[in-house]
Amino acid sequence: MPGLLSDILAWVAIATFVAGAVANGRDRDLGRRVMAAAWVLFAIFWLQLIPHFTLVHKSYIEGLLTIAAVPASLYAGWLLYSGRDTLFVLSRAVAAMGLVYLPFETIPALTLFGTTIPAPRGVLMESVAAQTDFLIQSLGYSTTMIPGDEGYLNTFLWMQGSHRIEISVVLACTGLGSIAIFAGLIAAVDAPIRRKLRGLAIAVPIIYALNLLRTTFITISVGKQYFHFFVDEVLFMFGSSDPYLVSFFISDRIISQVLAVVALVGITYLVVREVPELLTIIEDVLYMLTGDEYDLHSELGFDGPNDPRA
C-alpha cells in the first residue's frame, strides 16, 4: 500500500465490515446499513489506490481490477442495502480477509521490555526470499542476497557486466494476498469446521508453492535478462525508459499475472469441491457481473443425490 492514509482507511473499512457482521447477529436491518457503509468505505479505499497500481506499480491487470473494484464495491453495498442478504456472506469474507492481511501490511517492528519483535511483513518477506534463493541455487544459478530499501534481507543482486540488477521480494510477492482471499472466503461461509480445514489445507500449500515458483521464475528471468524482447514496445506499454526492466515487465506483469489468474480459478474449483457453500459467494459475484441469477449448487450436482461430498 502507498502509505499511512491507505493503512488507516483499510483498517476503518475492515473494522466497519466486522461491526456490520456483529450487528447483523443482533439486528439484521442495522447490520445491513453498517455493511452497506462498509462497502462505500471499501470503494473509497480502492479509489485512492488506482494511481498506485496504474502509475507507480505499472500493472495492467492489477490496475484494471482496482478500477473495477470501485463500482463493484458500491454496487455490492447498494444490493445489500436493497435486500440481497446473501451478500452478508461476501461482506463477512472481506472482513476476514482484512484481518488476515492487514497485520502483515501495517504492524511495524516493536520493542517490548528490551526485546525487539520484528515486523510480520519483514519476517514473511525474508522467509520467502530465502526459500526463493534456495530454489535459484538448486537450479544452478548464482546470485547474492542483500538488504533491500526497508532493511530486510529480501533483495537479489545480479550483475550484467557492470550493471547492477536488484530484484526485491516485497509483501505482494509472498502469496499472502491470495491466501487471505481464500482464508476469508472459507471463514465466512456456514460449513462444518472439518471441511473448512480441508479447504484451507488445499488452498494454502498450493498457493504458497506456486508463489515460490513464480518468485524464482521472475528473479532468474530478470537477473539473466531472459525476456529482453520487443524493448521499445514493452517500455512504451509500461511507461518506462529502463531497458533492464523489460524482462521484469514480461515475466511478472504479463506471464506471471496471467498464469496467476488461471491458477486461482483452478484452486477455487478444488476448494469448492470441499466447501461448496462458497458457491453462494460466486453466485452473487456472477449476479453482479451479469444481472442474472444462478443456481450453481444444482448445476454442479451439490446438495443432491450426486453431491460430490457424499
Side-chain angles (χ1 to χ4, degrees):
M1 293 184 191
L4 181 61
L5 175 62
S6 288
D7 292 347
I8 293 174
L9 188 55
W11 274 114
V12 170
I14 295 303
T16 307
F17 276 113
V18 172
V22 173
N24 181 52
R26 301 178 180 181
D27 184 333
R28 174 145 294 216
D29 288 336
L30 175 61
R32 181 180 291 108
R33 291 195 295 271
V34 175
M35 284 294 198
W39 281 108
V40 173
L41 290 171
F42 206 44
I44 296 172
F45 167 74
W46 288 115
L47 179 64
Q48 56 87 36
L49 280 179
I50 291 175
H52 171 72
F53 283 110
T54 56
L55 302 178
V56 178
H57 207 49
K58 299 183 186 298
S59 170
Y60 281 96
I61 293 178
E62 291 175 323
L64 290 173
L65 289 175
T66 303
I67 293 171
V70 176
S73 296
L74 294 174
Y75 188 39
W78 181 80
L79 288 174
L80 180 58
Y81 186 78
S82 300
R84 192 175 179 87
D85 286 356
T86 52
L87 281 168
F88 275 117
V89 182
L90 178 58
S91 302
R92 293 197 303 269
V94 173
M97 292 174 201
L99 293 177
V100 172
Y101 186 87
L102 286 180
F104 288 90
E105 175 65 45
T106 61
I107 295 178
L110 301 173
T111 300
L112 298 175
F113 307 108
T115 301
T116 299
I117 302 174
R121 64 184 287 115
V123 173
L124 184 57
M125 290 190 301
E126 288 188 341
S127 297
V128 172
Q131 292 159 26
T132 300
D133 183 55
F134 173 79
L135 291 176
I136 291 173
Q137 305 294 338
S138 299
L139 291 172
Y141 293 91
S142 178
T143 183
T144 303
M145 291 192 68
I146 62 174
D149 294 339
E150 298 180 72
Y152 302 124
L153 191 62
N154 66 330
T155 299
F156 297 92
L157 172 63
W158 300 77
M159 298 300 298
Q160 284 287 326
S162 60
H163 185 81
R164 293 167 58 96
I165 298 176
E166 297 181 12
I167 308 103
S168 296
V169 174
V170 297
L171 192 61
C173 303
T174 63
L176 177 63
S178 298
I179 290 173
I181 290 173
F182 280 95
L185 293 172
I186 293 171
V189 298
D190 184 15
I193 186 65
R194 177 172 53 85
R195 286 199 284 107
K196 286 188 175 187
L197 291 175
R198 287 209 305 262
L200 285 173
I202 291 172
V204 174
I206 293 177
I207 291 172
Y208 196 82
L210 290 178
N211 184 71
L212 284 179
L213 294 178
R214 184 182 73 88
T215 56
T216 302
F217 165 69
I218 293 171
T219 303
I220 293 175
S221 297
V222 178
K224 303 299 288 185
Q225 294 288 286
Y226 282 150
F227 290 100
H228 196 72
F229 310 129
F230 307 108
V231 175
D232 292 337
E233 293 80 1
V234 172
L235 290 177
F236 174 77
M237 182 185 303
F238 289 94
S240 178
S241 59
D242 186 351
Y244 287 96
L245 287 178
V246 170
S247 288
F248 172 74
F249 289 136
I250 294 177
S251 63
D252 179 48
R253 296 295 189 258
I254 299 176
I255 297 175
S256 294
Q257 290 191 3
V258 170
L259 290 179
V261 173
V262 176
L264 288 176
V265 171
I267 295 170
T268 299
Y269 172 78
L270 294 175
V271 174
V272 162
R273 292 189 64 83
E274 292 294 337
V275 192
E277 289 82 358
L278 291 174
L279 290 174
T280 298
I281 298 176
I282 298 175
E283 289 168 353
D284 278 330
V285 172
L286 289 174
Y287 176 80
M288 292 170 59
L289 291 173
T290 67
D292 296 325
E293 295 285 1
Y294 293 85
D295 184 3
L296 298 180
H297 292 78
S298 297
E299 292 178 15
L300 297 178
F302 291 101
D303 297 329
N306 296 319
D307 191 331
R309 292 172 294 166

